[in-house]
Amino acid sequence: MKSAFDEMLTAAQGVRDQYQVYERWLDRQPREAMQARREEAEMIFRRVGITFAVYGAKDEDGSGTERLIPFDLIPRVIPKHEWTAMEAGLRQRVTALNRFLHDVYHGQEILKAGIVPSEQVLNNAQFRAEMMGVSVPGNVYSHISGVDIVRAGNADGTGDYYVLEDNLRVPSGVSYMLENRKMMMRLFPDLFSMHRIAPVAHYPDLLLETLRAVAPAGVNEPTVVVLTPGMYNSAYFEHAFLAQQMGVELVEGQDLMVRGGFVYMRTTQGPKRVDVIYRRVDDDFLDPKVFRPDSTLGCAGLIDVYRAGNISLCNAVGTGIADDKSIYPYVPKMIEFYLGEKPILNNVPTYLCREADDLKYVLDHMGELVVKEVHGAGGYGMLVGPAATKAEIADFKKVVEANPTNYIAQPTLSLSTCPTFVESGIAPRHIDLRPFVLSGTTVQMVPGGLTRVALKEGSLVVNSSQGGGTKDTWVLED
């Protein structure tokens, strides 16, 4: 595994240009002052209710499952030229993924051309046959995309960005991006006068603009709602936060009904027609008449209205086929097929365990690889080979051999590190970045995204469910 790229320091321990001003400021801060500000941040986050639920977790008294996502005081700083290139790569990638989604539910030209194996799509649990031939406004399927990006170190001390995952179903985390920025501005106002930092606070406005832009044809003043599974969902804070920030209603399935080919929400003034649903409910739970009959989280008859073009769902039903980890290796080919361009952002090299040669390599080198379930998320269902015991590797080999099509593997990248304020002081911790890409009539995004940090020393797992934290992400404007 190559040595990690340090976001702040060069190999010769010099300070990178984008961190020069910040590093001089940090040197003047007493440790006690930083500790006091961290405690203040935690108090404010707790008061505001910025928590997430950890399924199956219990507090010491056996009751609560609510957790604060640890917030780190030291920002991740990205120079303008790096963001400009990354933004172009994100725009290119999400455009191609939306083209792919339209294609697989219509002409399936990429399958006929043999570029993506048909069985990988048509036999995939995320492929929704109910979407075949269904037209969606602007041919946009993934209106909100969260693309996970990592930087890996090279032997010469440089670092290259790679896309680790595409999240096109119900990507979460943008509320933490926004709250982290508000917190940093509150705690360190002097820092913001020393830097020209690109703003992110207008994200809810861009999101609402995106949602309104994909309303059904002929609807000039669309009514938008956010559909949540309810307060026990791990991301409920975010659902409520975004609805409040956009000034739209937060609804649950029981608040919606279908009448005369349209969707209505119940209000104290009577039923009100809904035109766009930003849904934070998975496909399987959206409509008990079409998917899981035992679901109480959706609205019976919703898919009929959707297929008729009288409601817009964001993201569209069936987007999961494009972010499945078994489809991820083909995204560079999608970019070339649909756009006639070379990818700006590279994939991480990936082994498909359904391929005999790849499977043999993975089984022989599992201790060196990261092995993931193709449908897995949140850091679950995976093995980080270098951090696993011999017994864990042996057990995981049996699991992969029993169902190889369910797994992929990738080299263990040494994710870049960023200085982080931990109990022992300031120390490097591994990070990734999740920018949020909005696709409506145009593709747009706020600069940066959510930086996630693996707080445990040496850990490469940044997911909040696995003990990860977050940082504010600064994209410099000069």
Side-chain angles (χ1 to χ4, degrees):
M1 191 165 67
K2 294 172 182 174
S3 60
F5 177 93
D6 190 300
E7 298 284 341
M8 186 185 220
L9 303 175
T10 67
Q13 296 301 297
V15 178
R16 299 189 191 280
D17 289 347
Q18 67 268 26
Y19 271 101
Q20 292 278 351
V21 173
Y22 180 82
E23 193 269 344
R24 289 194 294 271
W25 174 90
L26 185 62
D27 272 352
R28 299 194 300 269
Q29 307 309 306
R31 176 179 168 79
E32 296 76 17
M34 293 292 283
Q35 179 64 35
R37 283 165 171 167
R38 182 166 73 170
E39 291 171 1
E40 181 182 352
E42 183 173 322
M43 178 191 68
I44 294 169
F45 279 149
R46 197 174 296 280
R47 185 189 307 152
V48 174
I50 305 175
T51 61
F52 73 103
V54 182
Y55 298 125
K58 295 289 183 184
D59 288 335
E60 289 182 5
D61 63 2
S63 59
T65 61
E66 292 295 313
R67 299 283 189 274
L68 287 178
I69 294 184
F71 167 68
D72 184 55
L73 301 178
I74 301 178
R76 189 249 186 96
V77 185
I78 300 174
K80 181 178 181 179
H81 71 275
E82 286 186 8
W83 172 251
T84 299
M86 193 188 304
E87 183 180 30
L90 290 164
R91 194 183 307 275
Q92 177 195 61
R93 189 174 183 97
V94 171
T95 298
L97 285 164
N98 270 309
R99 293 278 292 273
F100 170 73
L101 283 162
H102 179 263
D103 186 19
V104 297
Y105 291 118
H106 290 83
Q108 299 185 343
E109 298 301 326
I110 201 165
L111 307 187
K112 294 172 184 174
I115 292 170
V116 178
S118 295
E119 67 274 11
Q120 282 294 98
V121 173
L122 304 180
N123 297 334
N124 194 298
Q126 299 302 319
F127 177 74
R128 304 295 182 186
E130 298 85 356
M131 288 297 292
M132 285 300 299
V134 176
S135 296
V136 298
N139 294 335
V140 177
Y141 287 74
S142 183
H143 310 84
I144 303 98
S145 307
V147 182
D148 291 347
I149 293 179
V150 297
R151 172 142 56 179
N154 298 320
D156 61 1
T158 61
D160 292 326
Y161 287 112
Y162 295 89
V163 174
L164 188 63
E165 282 184 14
D166 304 292
N167 300 282
L168 309 182
R169 284 173 256 187
V170 283
S172 62
V174 75
S175 60
Y176 302 109
M177 173 190 80
L178 296 170
E179 288 294 333
N180 287 353
R181 176 60 55 84
K182 285 165 60 177
M183 183 61 70
M184 288 293 285
M185 294 180 76
R186 174 176 181 148
L187 296 178
F188 308 110
D190 52 330
L191 272 176
F192 285 83
S193 65
M194 300 177 190
H195 297 82
R196 291 189 63 222
I197 303 166
V200 298
H202 58 297
Y203 176 87
D205 296 333
L206 294 183
L207 176 59
L208 182 59
E209 176 187 312
T210 297
L211 297 173
R212 290 171 62 89
V214 295
V219 178
N220 296 321
E221 293 296 328
T223 296
V224 177
V225 300
V226 177
L227 174 63
T228 177
M231 64 182 296
Y232 296 108
N233 183 266
S234 62
Y236 180 74
F237 165 78
E238 177 157 298
H239 308 165
F241 174 86
L242 288 175
Q244 187 270 332
Q245 292 290 305
M246 289 190 290
V248 305
E249 293 294 330
L250 179 70
V251 301
E252 296 182 30
Q254 62 193 9
D255 301 319
L256 302 177
M257 58 184 173
V258 170
R259 284 187 183 174
F262 295 94
V263 176
Y264 294 84
M265 65 174 161
R266 295 177 171 88
T267 74
T268 54
Q269 286 79 41
K272 180 175 182 180
R273 182 177 158 183
V274 174
D275 305 297
V276 181
I277 298 175
Y278 175 24
R279 51 99 173 197
R280 300 297 294 260
V281 174
D282 291 335
D283 287 357
D284 285 338
F285 301 95
L286 278 176
D287 185 344
K289 292 175 64 177
V290 176
F291 300 119
R292 286 183 54 156
D294 60 339
S295 173
T296 59
L297 302 180
C299 172
L302 175 62
I303 298 302
D304 285 341
V305 179
Y306 183 47
R307 288 171 59 88
N310 292 332
I311 188 80
S312 292
L313 297 178
C314 303
N315 289 344
V317 174
T319 54
I321 189 61
D323 75 4
D324 187 89
K325 293 181 180 66
S326 67
I327 298 298
Y328 159 92
Y330 301 101
V331 177
K333 293 180 179 179
M334 292 179 199
I335 292 170
E336 295 188 30
F337 183 77
Y338 295 116
L339 307 180
E341 301 169 359
K342 293 291 184 183
I344 298 170
L345 289 169
N346 291 318
N347 273 20
V348 176
T350 303
Y351 301 95
L352 299 171
C353 293
R354 67 182 183 85
E355 303 282 355
D357 289 345
D358 283 9
L359 175 62
K360 183 179 185 308
Y361 182 87
V362 170
L363 294 174
D364 289 345
H365 297 83
M366 193 168 281
E368 307 162 19
L369 303 170
V370 176
V371 189
K372 304 177 183 179
E373 278 186 314
V374 295
H375 305 314
Y380 296 105
M382 65 184 288
L383 177 90
V384 180
T389 65
K390 289 183 178 179
E392 288 170 337
I393 292 171
D395 289 343
F396 214 85
K397 280 184 179 181
K398 294 175 185 176
V399 173
V400 173
E401 285 180 298
N403 187 10
T405 59
N406 199 39
Y407 292 90
I408 64 162
Q410 295 169 330
T412 308
L413 297 180
S414 185
L415 307 187
S416 65
T417 63
C418 188
T420 301
F421 191 72
V422 295
E423 294 303 325
S424 60
I426 296 174
R429 290 294 184 266
H430 295 290
I431 58 171
D432 78 352
L433 177 67
R434 178 176 290 182
F436 295 90
V437 184
L438 299 172
S439 302
T441 50
T442 60
V443 179
Q444 53 190 343
M445 64 204 85
V446 297
L450 178 66
T451 291
R452 301 184 297 177
V453 54
L455 293 173
K456 183 178 178 182
E457 185 176 2
S459 174
L460 298 172
V461 182
V462 299
N463 306 77
S464 56
S465 57
Q466 306 290 308
T470 65
K471 290 173 169 283
D472 192 13
T473 309
W474 295 1
V475 172
L476 301 183
E477 292 190 313
D478 50 16

